[in-house]
Each structure stands twice: as C-alpha cells, then as structure tokens.
Amino acid sequence: MNELILIKYGEIALKGLNKGSFEDILLRNIRWRMRDMGHFKLRKAQSTIYLEPSDCDTFDFEEAIDRLTKIFGIASISRALVVEKTLAAVLREVCAYLELQLSMVRTFKVETRRSDKQFPMKSPEISAEVGGEILSHFPGIKVDVHNPELIVNVEIRDFGAYIHAGSIAGAGGMPVSSSGKAMILISGGLDSPVAAYMMAKRGLALEAIHFVSPPYTSDRALQKVETLCEKLVPYTGSIKFHCVPFTEIQEAIKEHCPEELFTVIMRRLMMKIATTICKESDIKALVTGESLAQVASQTLDALYCTDNSTDLVVLRPLIGMDKTEIIKIAYQIDTYETSILPYEDCCTVFTPRHPRTKPKLYFVEKAESGFDFAPLLEQAVRDTVCKTITL
Ligand code: ATP
Ligand code: MG
C-alpha cells in the first residue's frame, strides 16, 4: 500500500510573486521537525506539499501528523492512499482502504476535486461512480449529501489520484521565520508563553529573554521558564534563551526610586536591557504578554511609559484578550499546568503596595534620573547567560 501525507497551506497560497520563498521556509520547517522520522521525500505542487515516506510500513504516520499540526503555515493535513490516476484504480482501492471508516458509519458522501483538468471525467461523475462502488460493497450504508457521517475524498492531481477520509486542521498562520525574528520577554506566568505562541503563528522566529533575581527567585523558577520554552519549541522552532541577572538593578530601584513607580521603572529597565541585546543581533521587535488593564503596570499610561524606553517595535498580541481567552490557549498549547506552578517571578519581588496606575512619563524619567542605572544595565548585559532550547 502506498500512502502519503497531503499538506495544504492556507494564507501562503494567497501570496503573489514571493509565494515561493514562503513555501521554501515552510518546507525547511517541516524538514527540521521531521528530521528524525526516517526517510521521506517532500515536494510541492498546486499549493500542496506531498510528504512521501520511502517505507510506508515502518513510517510513523500518527507521530508525523501530530508534529505537522504544530507547524505554522499549514491549513490542513490528510493521510491518503496514492493510486494510479484512473477511475478503475480508484474503484479498485477505495473500499479496502477506507473499510474501517465505512463500516462504522451509516451515511457518507463522496467529494472529488480534480485539479488535473486533463482527466477525462468531471468531478461529479467520479463521485457518482465511487459512491456506487461503496454502496455495492457496504449494503447497510446510505448516501447523505447534506449531513454525512463520513466524507470520502478523491483528489485527482498532477502526480496521481489520492483517496482519504478527510483532513485534520493545521495550526494556520505563517511559517516561522517568514516574518523575521523577535525577542519574547518571558516570565513564568500564563501570559507570555501564549504571547510567544501567537507571534510565532504570524511567522516570527523567537529568541527569549528572562530576568532572574536570585536569591529572591529560585532555580526552580528559572527551570520553570525553560520548561515553558521547551513546550513552545514544537511550534516556534529552537529558541535562543537569554537569562539576565536582575537582582542588583531591582535593589537599586527599590533604594533610589519612589515605591509607587517601582514596577513601571523595572519594566522600562527590562525593555532597555532587552533592546541592547536585540540590537546585537538585529532583532527589531519585542514581544510581551501584557493585556490592557489586567494589572496596574498594564494601563494605557503605564504602557506609554514602558514603550518610551525602547525604539523597537513592541508587540503585545494579548492586548485585547480576556484572561479566560488566554487560559484557553494556554491549555491548548500545554503551558497551563507549568505556568500555574507557584514559584516567585522577579516581578513579584518588591511589588509596591500601591502602584501608580497612571504614571506620567515626566515623573518616571525624573525618578530614574536620580540614580545612574547605566553601569548596572551594562553589567547585566555582560553577565547575561545564553543557551539554545531545542527538541
Ligand atoms: P505573565 O503571565 O506573562 O507573567 P503578567 O500578567 O503576570 O504576565 P506581569 O508580571 O506584569 O504580567 O508582566 C508583564 C510582562 O512582562 C510579561 O507578560 C512578560 O512579557 C514580561 N515579564 C514579566 N516578568 C518577566 C521576567 N522575569 N523576565 C522576562 N519578562 C518578564
Ligand atoms: Mg507575571
């Protein structure tokens, strides 16, 4: 039996002249994710990628499909039987190939797509013939064109005819790295991993930056963030992870700045350090998990002060989302259970009792200028430890 996986893409198909470069990035990402899955061929034609294992008997189709569902840029995935491009071949194989599925339903319909217009029969004619063949093999079953329990798909394409019982939804979006690269400010919380996932979905490759304040924050808290990155890698690809020592900076803010401005100043200094690190690798955007009005540091006035500390683009994909919507995605990408582990983040160290919800930039800058943070910031950049988190 000769099976393959048909991978169809969504938005890329709408691209114009540069469609080819998006396809190549998607092919590269698929190849990377499948690199330990044995021998297979990938080819593209008609807005579809054909993944053809060299040995169908040993190839782990389920594992492959599970991995493909996490690769952005893919709209749908179908495991299909390849047959010779003749009606006789389709009729000969269809009942045996889909026997299990057909024996479990009472109603079905056949849908035929004929992208090879040279094929001598039209789609409805093919569907009628295939439907007749199925009815004669499975007497208990009926055709229901409006609400069938099973759709039998026949695709007449360039290289052959393909039979399958439907497709699984892909992750959608754009292939990772087709939009460039950004730096996610990742904490151990619920929001920032979801923000990372959402921007990867729009085609950004990611590096991650995390601020630690030992001894106020523990090794377990750092390990938790690395685990979150590991959970993101199937979607994002490898992540270069920057761990920034932040203790002295936080202590200096506490000592030299007004308590009610602690959080906004801390956030600005995080942005400044992240910006310096981004500029070393020509990264043009920061991503955060902020959501408007969720907490005092995420009011419009506070975000205005934060944005003013960087000249990079600041992407906040969760800005208009409720916590319940964010949690739903956290479940879906399996970061929820890790995120709710109760370890301290540096943001919860020295939290002011009454943070200013409407900080004014003028006063924030004035408060910051009372102490020369520059040497501490430079030192933190120098002491940043990097590693690559991959599969
Ligand atoms: P999260 O759920 O991502 O922790 P949050 O709602 O708890 O977000 P804050 O703690 O105020 O909000 O943090 C806002 C954003 O600042 C985070 O989403 C993240 O992007 C960034 N951030 C917070 N703490 C850290 C940290 N220790 N290292 C890196 N980035 C951080
Ligand atoms: Mg947090």
Side-chain angles (χ1 to χ4, degrees):
M1 195 162 64
N2 190 10
E3 287 184 283
L4 52 46
I5 302 176
L6 296 173
I7 301 164
K8 297 185 188 164
Y9 31 86
E11 244 181 278
I12 301 176
L14 308 173
K15 297 284 167 200
L17 288 177
N18 51 1
K19 179 173 154 187
S21 65
F22 287 94
E23 290 173 330
D24 289 344
I25 294 171
L26 179 56
L27 281 168
R28 199 178 68 208
N29 293 351
I30 294 172
R31 224 171 254 126
W32 181 78
R33 193 65 186 92
M34 300 285 167
R35 66 199 184 286
D36 58 349
M37 292 233 32
H39 257 252
F40 60 85
K41 246 184 11 206
L42 281 181
R43 57 175 161 176
K44 57 174 184 177
Q46 300 171 312
S47 296
T48 301
I49 292 169
Y50 298 71
L51 190 157
E52 298 166 312
S54 305
D55 181 357
C56 289
D57 294 330
T58 57
F59 188 75
D60 188 344
F61 277 91
E62 275 173 35
E63 173 66 18
I65 289 171
D66 184 60
R67 293 185 188 189
L68 289 167
T69 58
K70 300 185 173 75
I71 297 178
F72 293 123
I74 295 176
S76 75
I77 303 151
S78 320
R79 176 177 179 169
L81 180 73
V82 190
V83 299
E84 189 195 322
K85 204 165 40 170
T86 62
L87 179 65
V90 173
L91 296 181
R92 195 168 54 237
E93 306 283 353
V94 65
C95 291
Y97 183 59
L98 299 179
E99 182 173 10
L100 185 67
Q101 291 92 328
L102 285 164
S103 63
M104 291 194 317
V105 298
R106 281 158 305 170
T107 58
F108 78 104
K109 82 168 172 181
V110 180
E111 275 182 4
T112 304
R113 253 150 299 167
R114 185 182 59 126
S115 47
D116 174 7
K117 300 295 177 203
Q118 306 299 317
F119 193 78
M121 294 170 76
K122 297 221 165 84
S123 299
E125 293 163 6
I126 302 168
S127 294
E129 291 283 343
V130 175
E133 181 71 12
I134 292 172
L135 288 171
S136 68
H137 272 75
F138 296 87
I141 201 172
K142 282 203 306 236
V143 172
D144 180 346
V145 289
H146 300 298
N147 202 11
E149 284 174 55
L150 179 75
I151 298 179
V152 172
N153 294 270
V154 178
E155 303 194 25
I156 309 290
R157 293 170 158 269
D158 275 1
F159 311 122
Y162 304 90
I163 300 167
H164 62 87
S167 45
I168 300 174
M174 298 297 293
V176 164
S177 97
S178 64
S179 301
K181 193 184 262 187
M183 178 75 81
I184 171 80
L185 281 82
I186 191 159
S187 71
L190 272 166
D191 301 325
S192 38
V194 173
Y197 165 84
M198 289 184 66
M199 292 324 303
K201 184 171 181 176
R202 294 311 304 163
L204 283 172
L206 294 172
E207 293 192 9
I209 188 167
H210 177 63
F211 296 85
V212 291
S213 292
Y216 307 104
T217 62
S218 64
D219 277 352
R220 282 192 310 184
L222 172 59
Q223 182 52 52
K224 173 185 171 181
V225 180
E226 291 186 15
T227 304
L228 288 169
C229 288
E230 282 163 16
K231 286 179 179 281
L232 289 169
V233 167
Y235 299 97
T236 61
S238 301
I239 296 174
K240 187 170 174 192
F241 181 78
H242 307 258
C243 183
V244 187
F246 205 51
T247 316
E248 282 180 53
I249 294 172
Q250 283 194 297
E251 286 172 344
I253 305 170
K254 182 169 165 49
E255 197 176 325
H256 301 286
C257 303
E259 183 186 325
E260 67 276 14
L261 295 179
F262 177 89
T263 309
V264 68
I265 291 174
M266 177 186 68
R267 187 80 69 232
R268 281 165 56 85
L269 299 184
M270 282 182 171
M271 299 297 248
K272 284 186 185 175
I273 292 171
T275 302
T276 305
I277 293 175
C278 285
K279 296 215 163 151
E280 287 166 3
S281 339
D282 198 28
I283 295 174
K284 298 188 182 66
L286 300 172
V287 181
T288 80
E290 288 159 315
S291 163
L292 190 63
Q294 198 185 79
V295 288
S297 60
Q298 298 174 23
T299 62
L300 198 57
D301 292 271
L303 295 177
Y304 179 76
C305 292
T306 310
D307 271 7
N308 232 277
S309 63
T310 180
D311 54 2
L312 298 179
V313 177
V314 182
L315 299 168
R316 297 184 170 95
L318 312 187
I319 198 72
M321 289 171 73
D322 292 348
K323 200 77 185 181
T324 48
E325 295 169 307
I326 296 166
I327 287 174
K328 211 166 135 189
I329 299 176
Y331 267 119
Q332 187 196 320
I333 62 173
D334 192 33
T335 53
Y336 181 84
E337 297 294 340
T338 308
S339 285
I340 60 170
L341 294 172
Y343 310 138
E344 289 280 292
D345 179 56
C346 73
C347 281
T348 46
V349 176
F350 308 135
T351 320
R353 283 156 298 178
H354 303 291
R356 185 62 52 83
T357 54
K358 292 187 175 176
K360 295 286 163 271
L361 184 61
Y362 169 79
F363 290 111
V364 173
E365 284 177 338
K366 195 158 167 233
E368 274 174 17
S369 66
F371 179 77
D372 184 11
F373 283 100
L376 286 183
L377 299 185
E378 284 161 23
Q379 190 61 42
V381 171
R382 275 197 296 276
D383 292 344
T384 294
V385 178
C386 275
K387 68 184 211 182
T388 299
I389 298 183
T390 189
L391 287 162

